[in-house]
Amino acid sequence: MQAAPVHATAIPTFTNALRAVESLLMSSGQRTARRNAWTSVLEDRRRAKDRVETQRVLEAVTSARP
């Protein structure tokens, strides 16, 4: 007769538990950091577009003067 297979589950160590909690907390922080970085990129693009438009207007006004 053959013995039934034994299934063992490892009990996480305190260090592993802390790493898991840190991972959960950091993933949220990284998500926020990425969102903030993307918002910053979009704002930089908007300002660059505004600068180009302002430069065109200034050049048009300057060249229109007699």
Side-chain angles (χ1 to χ4, degrees):
M1 188 161 142
Q2 196 173 15
V6 176
H7 297 285
T9 303
I11 298 172
T13 63
F14 183 72
T15 303
N16 287 342
L18 281 178
R19 285 185 182 150
V21 170
E22 179 186 36
S23 175
L24 288 172
L25 293 175
M26 290 300 290
S27 67
S28 174
Q30 288 175 353
R31 202 171 19 251
T32 301
R34 283 191 204 110
R35 186 172 42 245
N36 289 344
W38 183 244
T39 300
S40 180
V41 166
L42 294 177
E43 185 61 23
D44 287 346
R45 288 179 181 175
R46 186 193 63 76
R47 280 193 297 259
K49 184 179 174 185
D50 289 348
R51 279 192 303 271
V52 169
E53 185 178 334
T54 301
Q55 183 66 33
R56 287 181 184 155
V57 169
L58 289 174
E59 288 173 357
V61 168
T62 304
S63 65
R65 288 185 179 178

